[in-house]
Amino acid sequence: MTHCTRRLLALVATLALYGCATPPADESAAQPEPGPPAATAEATTPPPAPQAAAPKPGPPVPFEGQQATVEPRERIALVDRTTPPQDLWQRIRQGFQIPDIDNALVREKTAYYAARPEYLQRIFDRSRMYLYHIVDELEKRGMPTEIALLPMVESAFNPMAYSRAHASGLWQFIPGTGKRFELQQNWWYDGRRDIVDSTTAALDYLQALYDMHGDWQLALASYNWGENAVARAIAKNKAQGKPADYAHLTMPLETRHYIPKLQAMKNIVSNPEPLGIVLDPIPNQPYFATYTKLRDIDVQLAAKLADMSVDQFIALNPGFSRPLIRASVTPRIVLPADKVDTFHENLQKLDEQSLVSWKPYYPKKGETLESIAKKHGMTVSHLKEVNGISARSRNVPNLIVVPASSRAAVSMSRLPIMYAPPIPITYRKIYHTVKPGETLGSIARRYRVALEDMKQWNPKGAVVGQRVTMEVRAAAKPRPKPRALPKGKPKKNVS
C-alpha cells in the first residue's frame, strides 16, 4: 500500500469519527452533499446545501369509511367477596357453579314460571325459613348453590309435599332412599320431612352422585331418575360412539324437563326484574336453631311455649306425625333463632305431667274405631285425622294416640291437624285411541286430567288412530258419553 493511500484512509476514518462524535446543532438542517473524493489530507469539507422548501399542504382527503363515536367504557362493578352480602339471594348468586343451559325447553320453563308470579311468590315465601340453612350447608361442602333452588322444583318448598311415588318432604325422598341415607321413618316421626335431617341426606346423596359421574348435570339427572338408570344410559351412548353428557342421553320425559326447570329457577333468581318478578330480600342470617333438651310434649303446647302458632311450629317441625312428640324417638325440635330462649324459660316452669295431653293406646281385640272414639270423648273423624287413618278405612291399627283425659279431648278438638301422614294415592297408566274430532283438550276433560299434563305425556299431540297416554287415579273412569234418545221421545228439561 502506498504512502498516499495510507494517508487517504486515515483522513477518511478521522472524518467518520468526527461525524459520529459531534452531532449537528440543528437537526432540521439538511446533511451536506458528498463532494468528490479527497486526493490529499488538506481537502476541505464542502459548504452545506441550502434547505429545500417544504411542500404546501393540499386540501384534506375526505374519509369514505364507516365512522363511529367511541365513548369511554363503563367501569365494571367489582364484587367484594370478603364482605358477606346482606341479602341471601345475592349470596346464592355468588355461589352458582353449574354450567348454564340455554335451549328452547329452558326458555319454555322460564316463561311458564314468569307467567305465574303468585305461584312463585308462595314458593319464595315458604323458602325464607329454610334457605339460609341449606345455603350454609352447601358452602361448608363447597357445593354449587344452585342446589339450594332444587326444592323449588321438587316440592315447591312445601315440607309436607307427597308424590304418587310416595316421595315426601322438601327433597322428595322415597322410603327406600330415605332408609339408605338413615332417615328415620316410623309411626311417630318421618325424617324425610325433617328440615335438618332431609337436607343433610339430600346433600350427601347429591355429592355421592357427583363423585360417581364427575358432572353436576348428570348428578341431578341421577337424583331424579336414579344413578343406575343414568349409568346404563351413559354406557349405552358410549357403546354406540355417541357423546355421554346430559344433553345427549335418552331419558324419560320427566327427567328431560327436570334440569331445565332448575335452570329456569336459576334464571329468575339471577335476574328477576326483566321478567317482572319481585324477589324480596332475605336476611343473610340463620332463621332457626335446634333445641335438644327435649322431653315428651304435646305439639300444641310446644308451639305455645315458643310463642308460636301451631302452623308455624309444624312448618319448622314437619317430621312429627302425631300430636305427641316422643323425646325417645326425636330428641330435638327446631325453633326460630329468636324463640329458643323463650321456649327454654317457659319449659323449665312446667313439670313432666303437665307437658302431655295425649297417650299411646293399644286397641284390644274386638274394639272398633267407633268404640275407641266414644270411650275417649272423640269423634271418629277426629280420631282418624290424629292417627293418619284413611277416612274410609275401618281397620284398627295396633297403636294409636288418644287424649289422656276427657278434658284434654275437648281442648285438642281445636288443634289443626296438618301433620298426619298423607294417604297414598295410587295412579295407573291408561291409553286412549284418538278418534276423529278429538283433541288433547277434549280427551283430558273426559279423563279428568290437566291439559298441561296431557301435553307433557303426549308431545306429538292427538293423532287420529294413534294412542295417547295418561296417568289417572286408580279409581278414575272416563265420563260416560250421553246416550242418544230414542226417536220421537222428547228431551227432559234439566234445571
Side-chain angles (χ1 to χ4, degrees):
M1 183 181 294
T2 65
H3 178 70
C4 290
T5 304
R6 283 196 297 271
R7 289 187 65 185
L8 180 61
L9 292 174
L11 178 61
V12 172
T14 302
L15 291 173
L17 180 63
Y18 177 81
C20 292
T22 310
D26 185 3
E27 292 183 0
S28 64
Q31 295 299 321
E33 292 183 4
T40 64
E42 289 79 20
T44 58
T45 304
Q51 185 174 355
K56 294 181 180 180
V61 179
F63 178 72
E64 297 180 353
Q66 288 186 342
Q67 299 188 27
T69 302
V70 179
E71 297 180 354
R73 184 180 297 177
E74 247 183 71
R75 292 189 62 187
I76 299 174
L78 301 177
V79 177
D80 183 3
R81 295 186 183 275
T82 61
T83 304
Q86 294 183 340
D87 184 7
L88 186 59
W89 292 118
Q90 184 57 29
R91 182 179 173 187
I92 292 172
R93 294 182 193 111
Q94 291 179 6
F96 286 161
Q97 300 176 34
I98 302 175
D100 286 333
I101 300 173
D102 184 14
N103 57 30
L105 200 51
V106 169
R107 291 188 288 273
E108 174 192 318
K109 300 300 180 187
T110 304
Y112 175 86
Y113 288 131
R116 292 160 175 79
E118 292 181 359
Y119 171 70
L120 280 179
Q121 195 59 53
R122 286 197 300 273
I123 295 177
F124 297 150
D125 288 346
R126 290 189 198 119
S127 72
R128 299 178 73 87
M129 291 185 285
Y130 316 122
L131 266 179
Y132 181 91
H133 175 74
I134 297 171
V135 173
D136 210 44
E137 291 299 310
L138 286 168
E139 288 185 347
K140 287 176 185 176
R141 299 163 178 251
M143 297 172 71
T145 51
E146 286 98 330
I147 294 172
L149 309 179
L150 195 59
M152 295 182 179
V153 176
E154 287 284 355
S155 62
F157 264 109
N158 178 6
M160 304 301 292
Y162 193 76
S163 79
R164 60 177 177 268
H166 309 318
S168 189
L170 287 184
W171 299 95
Q172 290 291 282
F173 275 98
I174 59 174
T177 310
K179 290 177 182 176
R180 177 178 157 194
F181 285 90
E182 300 180 353
L183 292 176
Q184 229 184 134
Q185 299 164 63
N186 54 53
W187 192 79
W188 296 97
Y189 170 81
D190 190 341
R192 297 177 300 159
R193 298 199 303 260
D194 184 276
I195 303 304
V196 176
D197 289 350
S198 67
T199 296
T200 299
L203 301 193
D204 285 347
Y205 188 21
L206 284 162
Q207 184 63 58
L209 293 171
Y210 176 76
D211 293 341
M212 176 187 297
H213 298 299
D215 181 285
W216 280 114
Q217 292 174 356
L218 292 176
L220 290 165
S222 299
Y223 189 85
N224 177 260
W225 190 18
E227 61 265 42
N228 293 330
V230 171
R232 287 192 296 269
I234 291 172
K236 181 180 178 181
N237 273 29
K238 287 182 176 178
Q240 296 175 353
K242 297 178 180 178
D245 60 333
Y246 161 78
H248 291 86
L249 296 185
T250 301
M251 59 184 68
L253 193 63
E254 179 186 333
T255 308
R256 176 60 63 198
H257 286 244
Y258 185 69
I259 297 180
K261 287 180 180 179
L262 179 62
Q263 180 68 55
M265 285 297 185
K266 179 180 176 181
N267 293 346
I268 291 168
V269 170
S270 296
N271 196 14
E273 289 82 6
L275 297 169
I277 303 300
V278 176
L279 205 59
D280 294 329
I282 299 177
N284 187 17
Q285 59 190 32
Y287 183 88
F288 63 75
T290 56
Y291 184 87
T292 56
K293 300 175 182 178
L294 194 64
R295 294 173 277 173
D296 285 6
I297 188 172
D298 292 344
V299 166
Q300 188 179 38
L301 179 60
K304 183 179 179 181
L305 296 182
D307 193 22
M308 303 169 64
S309 69
V310 175
D311 289 5
Q312 291 170 334
F313 183 86
I314 289 299
L316 288 177
N317 298 275
F320 299 133
S321 299
R322 302 289 173 258
L324 173 62
I325 301 172
R326 301 298 298 270
S328 59
V329 177
T330 48
R332 63 148 173 80
I333 57 174
V334 175
L335 297 170
D338 59 350
K339 300 286 187 182
V340 174
D341 291 341
T342 301
F343 177 84
H344 180 73
E345 290 171 6
N346 290 332
L347 182 63
Q348 299 308 307
K349 299 174 184 176
L350 301 176
D351 55 33
E352 294 278 350
Q353 288 72 28
S354 59
L355 296 180
V356 294
S357 301
W358 297 88
K359 63 182 181 181
Y361 182 80
Y362 297 89
K364 300 176 181 62
K365 186 176 181 180
E367 284 191 305
T368 64
L369 293 174
E370 288 77 8
S371 64
I372 296 171
K374 184 177 180 180
K375 180 179 179 180
H376 293 93
M378 303 176 71
T379 64
V380 176
S381 61
H382 189 209
L383 179 68
K384 288 183 176 181
E385 285 176 337
V386 169
N387 289 282
I389 301 171
S390 170
R392 294 184 179 182
S393 176
R394 301 186 63 83
N395 295 330
V396 180
N398 295 326
L399 171 64
I400 58 176
V401 289
V402 295
S405 65
S406 57
R407 188 173 68 177
V410 173
S411 63
M412 288 298 106
S413 64
R414 296 189 297 271
L415 179 66
I417 303 299
M418 59 176 289
Y419 43 81
I423 299 162
I425 299 172
T426 56
Y427 283 76
R428 61 191 176 98
K429 186 173 286 188
I430 63 172
Y431 304 93
H432 175 87
T433 302
V434 181
K435 299 176 179 61
E438 289 186 322
T439 63
L440 286 182
S442 65
I443 299 171
R445 287 191 296 273
R446 184 180 177 196
Y447 287 89
R448 302 182 182 93
V449 298
L451 177 58
E452 183 180 320
D453 290 338
M454 281 292 292
K455 289 178 179 178
Q456 282 198 0
W457 296 327
N458 304 280
K460 294 182 179 178
V463 180
V464 176
Q466 294 188 6
R467 295 197 305 177
V468 292
T469 306
M470 289 158 286
E471 290 184 7
V472 299
R473 292 190 180 193
K477 295 180 180 179
R479 293 174 179 171
K481 290 184 177 180
R483 294 180 181 178
L485 292 170
K487 291 182 180 180
K489 194 170 183 178
K491 295 180 181 180
K492 293 182 179 180
N493 293 326
V494 181
S495 56

